[in-house]
Amino acid sequence: MSVNNSHTDAGTAEEPDYDAVIIGAGFSGLYQLHRLRDELGLSVRILEKADDVGGTWYWNRYPGARCDSESHIYCYSFNDDLLEEWEWSERYPEQPEVLEYLRFAADRLDLRRDIEFGTEVTAAAFDEDAGRWEIDTDDGSRVSSQFLVTAVGCLSEPYVPDFEGIDSFEGESYHTGRWPHEPVSFEGKRVAVIGTGATGIQIIPEIVETDVEGLTVFQRTPNYAVPARNRPLGDEDWTEIQANYDEILAEAHDSGFGFPFRVRRETAADLSMEEVEEYLEPRWKEGGFRFLVAFEDLTVNPDTNEKVSQFLRGKIREAIDDPEVAEKPVPTDHYYATKRPPLHTDYYDTYNKDHVSLVDVTETPVERITPEGIRTTDASHDFDTIVYATGFDAMTGTLLQIDIQGTDGLTLEEKWADGPQTYLGLSAHGFPNMFTITGPQSPSVLSNMPVSIEHHVKWVSDAIEYLVDNDIRLIEPTKEAEVAWTAHNREVAGGTLYTTVDSWYMNENIPGKPTVFTPYPGGVDAYHDIILEVAEKDYEGFELTESLGDLGRTGTRPNLSVMESD
Ligand code: FAD
Ligand code: NAP
């Protein structure tokens, strides 16, 4: 493999500027740079639109932004020095601490020298004659690379609903995913928060704790939130974690959700509601995502799920004093965990405060944003500040912001017009030498993401190493492999309760997006076995091309037994 890392000198007809270009400097991109540069010796460049590393944790600076994954497993596991040197201060780290951690990792691994900050990738086109990617950025530059790794994030493109009159508002408005770097004051202000997903549920109790004059929450769908039960981590905690870190991480990497939590019972179907309550009470007191693994069949068995949902509905009603108000945040239209289940700290208690009110926009929809505030079908509400906690164009949104063009002039947007089609959530037919970290149709957001990120980065690095070692120029999944993987995804999703509700997992939060379940719901462990088996079988399902003169020559023939055995 050639090594040519001069960005200013344009690549020659034969040699691209870089062996690999990575888009994004979050958890994924940083590790990908380290693997390709420091372990394979390739010339690599990250292009990142922010002015620092961090990704999610750079952008989401809203008050209360905190991880829902427990800190000691929301980190890289590949480097002992990083594991030993970093001690998290709380059970769940707050945004500044995760950002600091990623800065620390970038500095320890000396990654910054190969990152171009403040550079947004606007387009990428595969040059079929030269067998390389041509990548355009917002400053008008173009770089070329043999491999393109997109590490742009599943939850990276903020979504603001297209409310009529949105630009007419005369107060301040913020989207949580683009929160300013300067502190925002709520003192003496009348504040609206639109949205009660994981983000809304975190920011609402924080705003209430300020000297805000009044807070109005606009809720469309209530959510089942389980208490986080955050607490500081002390020396004793760390001694125990460090003593067992290898086993903890190994267990997380070989589990269904990327967490080191053992599933406790198979089902609730054979239990009475009283037995379920008795069993769940200590899990609820323990808090956090451990609650999710109480029953193995939670997301596939309506009977189990209804019992767990009923338990949580009871907890919400108990937390709110006024029985009429208490009914509003109680979800009755979907099963628990079929929308991404948030954790909370004092969220429900918020509704016991006199200066907080809750507007159910399914009863009184938002008609428009006015210069003074928000008009619903029954009232005009005046505000100084509107906070949009309205989520993201998830899974495919950030990738499709880039004009990505593969072979025969096909764009990714055209290819995915009816929903993502990928092979293994890592690659797409028609887009040779392009890999996506935590792409659609991989476990990604259904997991503790650093685990899924590490699985992908390692797999992509091993694949590139294999190509280099075997003098292979191009790798591209076959159409058949992609069709089979897409069908497999739909079949697995169809057997779950996830598809019974509108959610961002289903693309339903963005008007006009095709309704399709986007992450792979078969489990991190099962998925990891599949991708490793593909690699072991010399990249079964991929076409490998040795030289550009051989374009179209099949190196390995697709044999889709790996999916059939599932
Ligand atoms: P990101 O962190 O999203 O990084 C992508 C990077 O790509 C960004 O820096 C972005 O600026 C850059 N980029 C995108 N497009 C372009 C472009 N065109 N040109 C240049 N640069 C570009 N996951 C968990 O597992 N547990 C949690 O508790 C958890 N909490 C979360 C809390 C919040 C508020 C959010 C929004 C997400 C949370 N997640 C959580 C998911 C989180 O996104 C992942 O855990 C992880 O941070 C993703 O890392 P990434 O590098 O793949 O993507
Ligand atoms: P989200 O889950 O998509 O929630 C957006 C909220 O805005 C929902 O309540 C949604 O209602 C509402 N909304 C959207 N459009 C609306 C409209 N036109 N009118 C009224 N309400 C509208 O987004 P998020 O809360 O930012 O979370 C996104 C994901 O990021 C999470 O699911 C999670 O994966 C991650 N995250 C994680 C953490 C954490 O781990 N600590 C924290 C925050 C975010 P509907 O439900 O009816 O669509």
Side-chain angles (χ1 to χ4, degrees), residues 62 66-68 155 159 161 163 194-200 202 220-221 339-340 361 389-392 504 509:
Y62 59 85
R66 187 184 287 283
C67 220
D68 279 352
L155 296 158
Y159 167 64
F163 290 124
I194 305 179
T196 53
T199 299
Q202 285 190 325
R220 188 164 67 182
T221 312
K339 286 166 93 89
R340 200 288 205 164
V361 299
T390 44
F392 299 88
W504 63 257
N509 65 326

Side-chain angles (χ1 to χ4, degrees), residues 23-28 47-49 54-57 59-60 62 67-69 74 119-121 151-153 155-156 392 398 402 447-450 453:
I23 312 174
F27 252 105
S28 301
L47 304 177
E48 166 57 62
K49 67 180 167 193
T56 289
W57 304 100
W59 296 108
N60 289 265
Y62 59 85
C67 220
D68 279 352
S69 294
Y74 192 77
T119 305
E120 180 168 0
V121 174
V152 296
L155 296 158
S156 184
F392 299 88
T398 317
I402 307 169
S447 68
N448 176 40
M449 290 200 67
I453 287 168

Side-chain angles (χ1 to χ4, degrees), residues 3-235:
V3 177
N4 172 357
N5 57 9
S6 150
H7 173 42
T8 40
D9 295 344
T12 64
E14 298 80 34
E15 300 298 340
D17 297 325
Y18 300 102
D19 294 323
V21 161
I22 300 164
I23 312 174
F27 252 105
S28 301
L30 293 176
Y31 181 33
Q32 188 67 79
L33 168 60
H34 171 64
R35 289 292 298 215
L36 294 181
R37 186 193 70 182
D38 302 333
E39 299 198 5
L40 298 189
L42 305 187
S43 68
V44 189
R45 192 75 169 162
I46 290 187
L47 304 177
E48 166 57 62
K49 67 180 167 193
D51 58 17
D52 199 355
V53 300
T56 289
W57 304 100
Y58 171 90
W59 296 108
N60 289 265
R61 295 162 186 257
Y62 59 85
R66 187 184 287 283
C67 220
D68 279 352
S69 294
E70 292 182 26
S71 54
H72 67 293
I73 45 161
Y74 192 77
C75 57
Y76 293 123
S77 74
F78 66 87
N79 182 303
D80 286 344
D81 292 342
L82 295 182
L83 282 170
E84 278 160 25
E85 282 180 48
W86 189 267
E87 282 197 5
W88 296 97
S89 66
E90 293 179 276
R91 181 176 175 187
Y92 308 96
E94 230 181 328
Q95 171 269 331
E97 194 172 3
V98 189
L99 182 56
E100 208 41 50
Y101 169 76
L102 288 168
R103 287 179 173 150
F104 153 79
D107 291 338
R108 265 295 174 285
L109 301 170
D110 191 19
L111 299 178
R112 287 179 189 276
R113 65 186 156 93
D114 289 307
I115 307 176
E116 208 163 296
F117 291 111
T119 305
E120 180 168 0
V121 174
T122 52
F126 185 70
D127 178 336
E128 292 177 59
D129 295 330
R132 66 193 194 189
W133 284 93
E134 300 283 346
I135 298 142
D136 293 341
T137 56
D138 60 348
D139 61 1
S141 308
R142 171 170 288 192
V143 291
S144 59
S145 68
Q146 182 167 358
F147 297 102
L148 175 65
V149 183
T150 63
V152 296
C154 299
L155 296 158
S156 184
E157 187 62 34
Y159 167 64
V160 179
D162 189 15
F163 290 124
E164 213 184 313
I166 194 159
D167 293 331
S168 68
F169 182 57
E170 286 171 355
E172 295 167 9
S173 45
Y174 305 98
H175 188 284
T176 48
R178 287 290 179 273
W179 201 260
H181 289 210
E182 310 72 44
V184 172
S185 170
F186 298 109
E187 197 180 332
K189 297 204 170 140
R190 299 155 304 166
V191 177
V193 173
I194 305 179
T196 53
T199 299
I201 281 173
Q202 285 190 325
I203 196 172
I204 288 163
E206 292 287 324
I207 296 176
V208 166
E209 285 308 309
T210 66
D211 288 331
V212 65
E213 185 183 311
L215 172 66
T216 308
V217 176
F218 291 80
Q219 169 194 277
R220 188 164 67 182
T221 312
N223 243 306
Y224 301 91
V226 167
R229 315 256 185 234
N230 189 32
R231 62 181 176 83
L233 292 178
D235 288 348

Side-chain angles (χ1 to χ4, degrees), residues 66-73 91-92 202 224-231 257 259-262 264 280-295 298 308 311-312 336-337 340-345:
R66 187 184 287 283
C67 220
D68 279 352
S69 294
E70 292 182 26
S71 54
H72 67 293
I73 45 161
R91 181 176 175 187
Y92 308 96
Q202 285 190 325
Y224 301 91
V226 167
R229 315 256 185 234
N230 189 32
R231 62 181 176 83
F257 293 107
F259 290 102
F261 311 147
R262 296 243 165 86
R264 284 145 174 180
L280 287 180
E281 189 64 28
R283 324 263 170 252
W284 185 80
K285 288 205 170 108
E286 186 181 31
F289 280 152
R290 288 160 199 264
F291 189 85
L292 273 174
V293 297
F295 296 107
L298 179 77
V308 177
F311 172 86
L312 290 173
Y336 170 57
R340 200 288 205 164
L343 300 184
H344 82 96
T345 302

